[in-house]
Amino acid sequence: IYDSSAVHLEKALSNAESKEDRVRWQYLLAQLHEMGHRYDKASEFYLKAAKKTVNPELDIYAHLYDAKMNAGNGKELDKNIGNLIKMSKRDKYSAYRDIIFHSAGELSLKKPDTLAAISFFKKSIKYNENNQVYRNKSFLALADIYYELRDYRNAAAHYDSLTLPDPALDADSGHINERRAVLKRVVELLDLVNLEDSLQRMALLTPAQRDALIKQIVKKHNKEKDRKSTRLNSSHANIS
């Protein structure tokens, strides 16, 4: 079915009423070729759509899906990640930086380059203004990465940062809820171990060393308390 649809749509390209209609048809044609596993043809039409479109969002997705057609080629992945980074620096795409950096993170995972992926997903969150779908996608990607790296505190924090329910994450809800529950207990155990280690270390100190440490902890606590109080007073002043 994808083959025949692609043939008919390609023949109809010259009949498109406008340039942007032709671009949308080229993008659809690329998707049909991708579903038919003709990745070279899919890449060809994704690139055609990207070159001709005036729609920034379609431009980004066309580059992203073209990159996925070449996922096994490291040089092509680097090239496409580079193109996304260039796009992020242009004013034309400023409103889409969250999508751009998330896409760069996805491509980095395909290399794989975990450190680069983490950096890109964090930038996606940083530049996200009001796009819950991509905010959640980036938090979930980071949570999964930290979980695989056995950085359970960071994993727990990022799973807890997800805004749920989110229809876009319905397929992942099972493993999200399971990991949230497990990690909550893991972090509690880690806190207990750290507390016991701290108490054991304190027991080895001389009375003078113990007193100095306690004074340091109290001083740090008071400074943090003062900072919170200053921020609270400042926010109240701004409201009034």
Side-chain angles (χ1 to χ4, degrees):
I1 183 172
Y2 301 127
D3 291 348
S4 60
S5 298
V7 169
H8 291 304
L9 184 56
E10 188 167 357
K11 288 180 178 178
L13 286 175
S14 59
N15 297 324
E17 293 183 2
S18 67
K19 288 183 179 180
E20 199 58 26
D21 280 342
R22 186 179 296 111
V23 166
R24 282 193 289 269
W25 290 5
Q26 287 172 331
Y27 185 83
L28 178 57
L29 189 53
Q31 290 180 311
L32 290 171
H33 283 305
E34 181 180 349
M35 288 185 283
H37 306 293
R38 294 179 299 279
Y39 301 120
D40 288 343
K41 292 291 287 184
S43 178
E44 174 188 339
F45 281 99
Y46 278 131
L47 285 176
K48 285 183 177 180
K51 288 178 181 177
K52 298 293 185 180
T53 187
V54 295
N55 182 325
E57 195 165 357
L58 193 149
D59 190 1
I60 294 166
Y61 282 117
H63 276 101
L64 173 61
Y65 288 118
D66 171 57
K68 289 181 177 179
M69 298 303 97
N70 300 287
N73 187 324
K75 289 184 178 179
E76 283 297 317
L77 281 173
D78 284 335
K79 177 183 174 182
N80 282 285
I81 290 170
N83 286 336
L84 288 170
I85 293 172
K86 288 178 183 176
M87 292 168 75
S88 73
K89 296 177 181 178
R90 296 174 60 185
D91 290 341
K92 174 182 177 182
Y93 301 103
S94 62
Y96 303 94
R97 284 176 182 155
D98 54 343
I99 299 175
I100 291 171
F101 284 121
H102 181 87
S103 301
E106 287 187 328
L107 296 183
S108 294
L109 286 178
K110 291 182 178 296
K111 291 183 62 176
D113 187 343
T114 304
L115 290 179
I118 289 173
S119 176
F120 286 131
F121 289 133
K122 285 182 176 179
K123 286 182 179 179
S124 176
I125 294 168
K126 175 183 176 181
Y127 288 106
N128 191 307
E129 295 181 0
N130 196 28
N131 188 336
Q132 181 178 307
V133 171
Y134 271 89
R135 180 183 179 278
N136 273 346
K137 281 185 175 183
S138 290
F139 270 120
L140 179 58
L142 285 168
D144 287 343
I145 289 172
Y146 287 127
Y147 187 88
E148 294 302 322
L149 293 175
R150 298 185 180 181
D151 184 348
Y152 297 127
R153 287 187 188 281
N154 261 325
H158 284 81
Y159 283 123
D160 286 342
S161 295
L162 294 170
T163 302
L164 300 175
D166 179 354
L169 297 184
D170 281 349
D172 298 298
S173 61
H175 102 262
I176 290 172
N177 291 330
E178 180 181 347
R179 288 186 176 181
R180 269 182 160 179
V182 170
L183 287 170
K184 181 180 179 181
R185 181 58 180 154
V186 169
V187 171
E188 288 174 352
L189 291 173
L190 288 173
D191 288 340
L192 181 60
V193 169
N194 287 339
L195 176 60
E196 289 178 353
D197 286 347
S198 297
L199 292 174
Q200 288 173 9
R201 284 196 297 271
M202 285 187 69
L204 297 174
L205 298 176
T206 65
Q209 289 173 327
R210 197 176 302 127
D211 289 343
L213 178 60
I214 291 171
K215 287 179 181 178
Q216 183 182 349
I217 293 171
V218 170
K219 185 177 180 181
K220 183 179 179 181
H221 173 74
N222 287 337
K223 280 186 177 180
E224 183 60 29
K225 186 177 179 181
D226 289 342
R227 276 198 294 267
K228 288 182 179 179
S229 177
T230 300
R231 285 198 297 268
L232 184 61
N233 290 336
S234 176
S235 63
H236 285 166
N238 290 334
I239 293 172
S240 57

